[in-house]
Amino acid sequence: MGTCYFSNEGKKYFGTTEKNCWASFHVTFSPLQNSMKVMFKCLWKNCGKVLSTAAGIQKHIRTIHLGRAGDSDYSDGEEDFYYTEIKLNTDSVADGLSSLAPVSPSQSLASPPTFPIPDSSRTEAPCAKTETKLMTPLSRSAPTTLYLVHTDHAYQATPPVTIPGSAKFTPNSSSFSISWQSPPVTFTGIPVSPTHSHPVGTGEQRQHTHTVLSSPPRGTVSLRKPRGEGKKCRKVYGMENRDMWCTACRWKKACQRFTD
DNA sequence: ACTGCCGGGGT
DNA sequence: ACCCCGGCAGT
Ligand SMILES: [Zn+2]
């Protein structure tokens, strides 16, 4: 599964799976009514509670699961919630560019160091405000974005890197903004890989060449593993950002984020 | 030289 | 379970 990270002022968190997150945040956009619908779902064990506001889910998690006797006042902002984007797109819209996000010049946090999102492909995404509808027309398709919320903030601070496709969120007035890009879910569809890499070339991988004659694969049937193609965390983030690698990469194991 | 990661080690 | 690294194969 793909994930994206979100950094916020010095703090930072790296989540790779839902288990690192407390809740998921779904956003569905309806092009017809030009409105958005938000939904926060608790990922705790078998909870699955669904609320419609960020403050609600935060309070729910804090009081019910984290055992924080925070009374009714939850604005103690001691531990903020961070978001981790997770993709999930309903349409197989392969048209990249074109429909540019209307991003208002509020606070363009687009930074030079743009790290890629696993399995990414781009899609447009609106800027939204919780509880508020209305969006910009966008193209067609109704992208569904899923965000994961979590409070865990292990790891020490790291260089201020901002990854595109992340969301920002403020506990109080709950106003967040989504930037563009949200990778589509990889259905069992055709290998539509708008990503770089070599042009012509079908999915080569299995080379079960049924050779009738010739000498049999005697002895050393070296089942040489193709060795994953594509950049992995190490190369993508670099040694200086080792704490951004997925766990497997940090342990020198097979990467779990950029799978092949 | 660099990268991905298996196998093996430590806690 | 979590974490780390030697060493090797592939680039
Ligand atoms: Zn990785």
Side-chain angles (χ1 to χ4, degrees):
Chain A
M1 305 347 188
T3 49
C4 180
Y5 309 99
F6 169 63
S7 68
N8 178 30
E9 313 313 285
K11 292 182 180 178
K12 186 177 200 130
Y13 175 80
F14 310 104
T16 52
T17 59
E18 292 192 354
K19 76 169 188 178
N20 295 327
C21 306
W22 299 137
S24 61
F25 170 36
H26 305 254
V27 180
T28 45
F29 176 66
S30 170
L32 295 177
Q33 282 127 314
N34 196 37
S35 64
M36 287 191 68
K37 196 174 167 185
V38 295
M39 174 181 116
F40 296 84
K41 183 169 141 195
C42 180
L43 296 177
W44 194 280
K45 299 284 185 177
N46 305 313
C47 181
K49 187 174 181 67
V50 176
L51 293 174
S52 58
T53 63
I57 200 71
Q58 277 191 32
K59 186 177 179 181
H60 165 80
I61 293 165
R62 265 202 263 261
T63 58
I64 308 296
H65 303 306
L66 298 180
R68 280 208 150 211
D71 293 48
S72 55
D73 183 57
Y74 49 81
S75 58
D76 65 314
E78 167 57 352
E79 55 181 274
D80 294 332
F81 282 71
Y82 300 96
Y83 284 76
T84 298
E85 184 183 16
I86 285 275
K87 82 161 118 263
L88 202 308
N89 195 326
T90 48
D91 273 348
S92 58
V93 188
D95 64 309
L97 39 108
S98 60
S99 59
L100 295 169
V103 180
S104 48
S106 53
Q107 280 193 321
S108 60
L109 21 85
S111 306
T114 55
F115 293 117
I117 298 174
D119 311 319
S120 69
S121 144
R122 45 205 53 195
T123 315
E124 68 295 340
C127 296
K129 287 179 182 175
T130 42
E131 294 295 17
T132 313
K133 303 98 192 286
L134 172 134
M135 221 66 274
T136 29
L138 304 179
S139 56
R140 51 223 4 148
S141 76
T144 301
T145 320
L146 192 168
Y147 288 89
L148 293 181
V149 193
H150 47 74
T151 52
D152 191 345
H153 38 14
Y155 305 106
Q156 67 272 55
T158 29
V161 285
T162 311
I163 295 97
S166 56
K168 174 140 194 179
F169 170 72
T170 323
N172 287 340
S173 59
S174 64
S175 65
F176 68 92
S177 61
I178 308 171
S179 53
W180 44 292
Q181 193 165 335
S182 59
V185 69
T186 53
F187 275 136
T188 55
I190 46 180
V192 181
S193 59
T195 44
H196 36 292
S197 80
H198 318 293
V200 185
T202 50
E204 94 307 74
Q205 183 169 333
R206 216 52 300 161
Q207 38 81 271
H208 220 72
T209 315
H210 188 289
T211 322
V212 183
L213 302 175
S214 75
S215 55
R218 262 290 39 171
T220 60
V221 185
S222 58
L223 182 58
R224 277 287 82 82
K225 214 174 103 179
R227 204 285 198 73
E229 168 56 29
K231 293 177 172 136
K232 298 300 190 327
C233 301
R234 186 196 184 98
K235 190 175 257 173
V236 171
Y237 304 113
M239 287 296 264
E240 53 276 36
N241 291 309
R242 207 171 89 99
D243 42 5
M244 291 182 77
W245 302 1
C246 70
T247 311
C249 279
R250 267 185 285 127
W251 299 350
K252 291 172 79 170
K253 291 288 189 284
C255 182
Q256 299 179 300
R257 184 178 303 166
F258 299 100
T259 57
D260 295 290

